Amino acid sequence: MVKRLLSFICICVLLASCTGSHTHLFHDADSTAVVKSHLEQSLSIKEENNDSALVLLLNAVDYCNGCEPALRYEAYKNISEMYEQKNLYEPQQKFQLLMEEVARELDDKQKEADACLRISMTYMVMGSLDDALLNAKKAYRLSLADSSDFKANCLLMQTQVFLQKEMTDSAKFYLTEAQKTCPHIRKSEMYRLSDAYILLALEQYENLEKKTDEYKHDGSVFLNAELTRLQMSLHEDTENWHKAYDDAQALIMLSDSISRMEASKSMAHIHELQHEQQMQRNRAEREAERSSLYIIIIVILALLLTSCVLVLIFRKKAIIAHNHELEAMRLADESQANEAITKEENIQLQKLYYEHLYAIILPILNANRGKTGHINLEESSWKLIEENTEMVLPNFTSKLRRYHPSLSNEDVRFCCMIMMRVPNAVLADVYGIATSSVAIRKQRMKKKLDADIHEQTIENYLGQYII
C-alpha cells in the first residue's frame, strides 16, 4: 500500500513538472514570435516612419526576457542604432551595455567586442575620452585573431581619441598599427581623416595637400566635405585666398547634401573671402595712385571702413541666429525624448490600472461562484463593483451615463467588467452564457454605444471615458 502511494505521488510530481515546463516553453515561444514580428515590422517601416519603428522596437524589448540571447542581442542592437540616428546618446549607451551583457551570456567574444567598440564611439561623442579609450582597448583584446578589419577599426578608434586629447605622437603610432594590421583600412574614411589631421598637427602642409587630393579622389561626399574644410582652413592660414575661395565654393556644393547649417557657414566664409579679395585689389590701386589721388584714397578708406563695420554687424547677427537655431534644435530633441518617456509611462500606468481593477473584483466574483461554476452576483456585489470602478477610474460610470442616457444599469455594469479586462470565460460565468456568446454581447453593446465604432474595439472606445 505504501509503495503504491509513493508511486502515485511520483507520477503526480512528474506530470506537474512536465505541465510547468510545457507552459514555460509556450510562453517563451509567444515572446519569441512577438519580438521577431516587431523586429521585422520596424525594419520594414524604418525609412518611412522612424518614430513608429522606434515604438515597435521598444515593444519588442518588453518581451525580450523570455527570448533566446541571440534574438535579444539583435533587438538591443537595432534600438541602439535607432537612438544613434536621433542623437540620443544616453539611451543608446544603455542598450549598447545590454548588448555587451548578452554577448557575454552567449560567450561570443566577437559580439562582445563589437558592443565594446560601439560603446567606445558613444563615449567619444559624449566627451568621455578616457572611457572611450578603455572600451576601444577592450574591444581590441576581445576580437578574434583572424578579424583583422575589426582590430584595425579598434586601433583607429584609439587614434581618434588621442587626436581629441591632442596627443599627436600616440595618434600617429596607433594609425600606423592599424595600417599594419589591415592594409586596406587605408580606404576607410576614419583612417583618411585621422591621417589628414595628424599631418595638420605636425604642420606637414605639402604632404597634407597631396594626401587630401588623393583621398578626395574616391571618397564619399562626407569625407570630401571634411577634407575640403580642412584644406580651406589651411589656405586661410597661409593667406592663399584664391585657393581658399575655390575650396569654399566646392564645400558649398558638398554641404548642400549634408546639412543646411554647414551650407550657411560656408556662405559666410565666401563673403569673408570676397571681402579680402576686394581689400587686396583696393590696396593695389591705392599704392599705384597714392601720389596723385590722395583725396580719392581718403574716400576709399572711408568706404572700406563702412564695409568692415557692415561685415562685422552681419557676422554678429549670423552668429546669434545660428546659436538660436542650435538651441531650438536641442530643445526639440529634449521634447521628443520626454514625449517618448511620458508615453511609455502612461502605457505602464494604464496596465497597472486594469490589473488593480481586476485584482479588486476577483475576490467578489470568486465569492459568488457556485458549485457549477456559474457566478451569481447580488445587487450589493454589483454596487461594490461599480464603486471599485469609480475608485480606480474616477467618473467613468457617470460619464458613460451622461453621454449614453439610454444605457441600463446592467449595460453600465457590463462596460465596467469590460474595462476591468475580465476574461471572456469569466464573463460567460457571470451572465450564464456560452463563451462564444460574450463576443456577440460586446457587438450589441457597441451598437448601443455608437453605430460608427465598428472600426475599433469596444475596449478602446470605452477608454475615452477614463481621461
Side-chain angles (χ1 to χ4, degrees):
M1 185 68 181
V2 175
K3 289 183 178 180
R4 290 182 180 178
L5 182 60
L6 289 174
S7 300
F8 178 74
I9 293 173
C10 290
I11 292 172
C12 290
V13 170
L14 181 61
L15 289 173
S17 63
C18 290
T19 304
S21 62
H22 280 119
T23 303
H24 179 68
L25 288 173
F26 287 137
H27 175 72
D28 289 352
D30 291 342
S31 298
T32 300
V34 170
V35 173
K36 285 183 177 179
S37 174
H38 285 346
L39 283 176
E40 291 174 359
Q41 291 180 47
S42 67
L43 290 175
S44 64
I45 67 170
K46 183 177 180 181
E47 300 297 331
E48 300 176 0
N49 194 331
N50 196 275
D51 292 332
S52 297
L54 179 59
V55 172
L56 285 170
L57 287 173
L58 287 169
N59 290 335
V61 169
D62 290 338
Y63 288 90
C64 274
N65 290 334
C67 300
E68 58 185 13
L71 188 59
R72 277 188 282 142
Y73 183 89
E74 191 66 24
Y76 296 150
K77 179 181 177 181
N78 278 277
I79 198 168
S80 69
E81 290 174 352
M82 190 75 71
Y83 277 126
E84 182 180 5
Q85 293 176 9
K86 293 178 172 291
N87 297 326
L88 300 174
Y89 300 116
E90 290 185 3
Q92 174 193 352
Q93 188 180 57
K94 168 190 171 183
F95 286 103
Q96 287 172 343
L97 291 171
L98 288 173
M99 285 172 59
E100 182 184 7
E101 181 181 333
V102 175
R104 282 198 296 269
E105 184 179 342
L106 288 166
D107 196 21
D108 190 327
K109 297 298 182 185
Q110 191 56 46
K111 286 186 182 293
E112 186 178 354
D114 180 63
C116 288
L117 185 58
R118 292 171 181 268
I119 293 170
S120 175
M121 292 180 184
T122 306
Y123 270 128
M124 187 176 72
V125 173
M126 295 173 67
S128 301
L129 299 182
D130 292 334
D131 292 327
L133 189 60
L134 286 173
N135 279 276
K137 290 181 176 180
K138 183 178 179 181
Y140 182 85
R141 290 195 306 271
L142 291 170
S143 58
L144 301 179
D146 57 348
S147 57
S148 57
D149 287 356
F150 186 83
K151 285 181 175 292
N153 282 323
C154 293
L155 293 169
L156 282 180
M157 178 57 62
Q158 295 178 62
T159 302
Q160 289 285 317
V161 174
F162 281 121
L163 277 173
Q164 292 199 26
K165 284 175 165 283
E166 298 183 358
M167 299 171 66
T168 308
D169 292 337
S170 297
K172 184 177 181 182
F173 170 77
Y174 280 99
L175 187 69
T176 305
E177 289 297 313
Q179 182 183 355
K180 291 178 182 177
T181 304
C182 181
H184 69 262
I185 199 69
R186 288 173 54 87
K187 296 182 180 180
S188 72
E189 294 190 359
M190 187 179 291
Y191 178 91
R192 295 181 175 186
L193 282 175
S194 301
D195 189 23
Y197 278 106
I198 287 174
L199 291 174
L200 179 64
L202 295 175
E203 298 183 357
Q204 297 180 10
Y205 298 139
E206 293 183 5
N207 195 11
L208 176 59
E209 285 277 6
K210 294 178 182 178
K211 289 286 186 180
T212 50
D213 290 337
E214 175 188 344
Y215 292 156
K216 287 166 63 177
H217 179 67
D218 59 346
S220 68
V221 63
F222 300 100
L223 177 64
N224 288 347
E226 190 64 28
L227 292 176
T228 301
R229 189 181 295 107
L230 191 145
Q231 277 187 317
M232 184 174 65
S233 177
L234 175 62
H235 291 150
E236 288 180 5
D237 292 341
T238 56
E239 296 188 358
N240 192 341
W241 304 114
H242 180 71
K243 286 188 176 181
Y245 179 72
D246 292 340
D247 292 335
Q249 287 184 316
L251 184 59
I252 287 179
M253 297 176 63
L254 294 168
S255 298
D256 187 50
S257 60
I258 298 175
S259 69
R260 184 177 62 183
M261 182 181 67
E262 292 295 330
S264 299
K265 189 183 293 185
S266 300
M267 286 297 297
H269 275 290
I270 285 182
H271 290 313
E272 292 176 9
L273 295 171
Q274 287 177 334
H275 177 65
E276 291 296 336
Q277 286 182 328
Q278 184 65 37
M279 287 182 65
Q280 284 184 339
R281 288 196 295 268
N282 289 341
R283 282 196 293 267
E285 291 174 1
R286 287 198 304 273
E287 290 294 332
E289 299 175 359
R290 186 182 295 274
S291 58
S292 58
L293 301 174
Y294 183 75
I295 298 177
I296 296 176
I297 291 174
I298 295 175
V299 174
I300 292 174
L301 287 173
L303 291 175
L304 287 174
L305 181 61
T306 304
S307 299
C308 289
V309 172
L310 291 175
V311 168
L312 290 174
I313 294 172
F314 175 78
R315 284 190 62 190
K316 186 175 180 180
K317 289 183 177 180
I319 290 171
I320 293 172
H322 176 62
N323 290 336
H324 288 167
E325 183 178 357
L326 287 177
E327 181 65 17
M329 291 173 65
R330 184 186 65 79
L331 293 174
D333 289 341
E334 289 182 358
S335 175
Q336 196 173 34
N338 292 334
E339 183 179 350
I341 293 171
T342 302
K343 184 176 181 181
E344 181 65 21
E345 289 177 350
N346 287 338
I347 292 172
Q348 295 299 327
L349 187 59
Q350 191 178 44
K351 290 180 178 178
L352 289 175
Y353 274 168
Y354 297 147
E355 291 173 0
H356 184 50
L357 266 174
Y358 188 51
I360 289 174
I361 71 158
L362 189 58
I364 300 173
L365 297 177
N366 289 333
N368 291 275
R369 187 183 294 273
K371 294 182 179 180
T372 61
H374 183 67
I375 299 173
N376 297 309
L377 294 177
E378 298 178 355
E379 182 65 21
S380 59
S381 298
W382 279 115
K383 288 183 178 180
L384 186 58
I385 289 174
E386 280 195 54
E387 291 173 0
N388 288 331
T389 305
E390 284 292 304
M391 180 178 65
V392 180
L393 304 176
N395 299 324
F396 171 72
T397 57
S398 58
K399 286 183 180 179
L400 199 58
R401 286 190 171 97
R402 184 167 68 251
Y403 290 107
H404 299 281
S406 62
L407 293 181
S408 64
N409 286 337
E410 183 179 354
D411 293 334
V412 173
R413 290 164 181 175
F414 183 65
C415 292
C416 290
M417 301 287 276
I418 292 174
M419 288 306 294
M420 296 174 188
R421 299 298 192 266
V422 176
N424 286 354
V426 179
L427 288 174
D429 291 340
V430 172
Y431 291 99
I433 58 177
T435 305
S436 58
S437 300
V438 175
I440 298 174
R441 182 160 186 156
K442 287 184 177 180
Q443 289 295 327
R444 291 173 179 169
M445 182 57 63
K446 284 172 63 175
K447 292 181 179 179
K448 280 188 176 183
L449 291 170
D450 193 336
D452 297 327
I453 68 169
H454 59 277
E455 296 182 354
Q456 59 178 310
T457 64
I458 189 171
E459 289 83 358
N460 290 340
Y461 180 82
L462 292 174
Q464 66 181 314
Y465 295 110
I466 66 173
I467 301 174

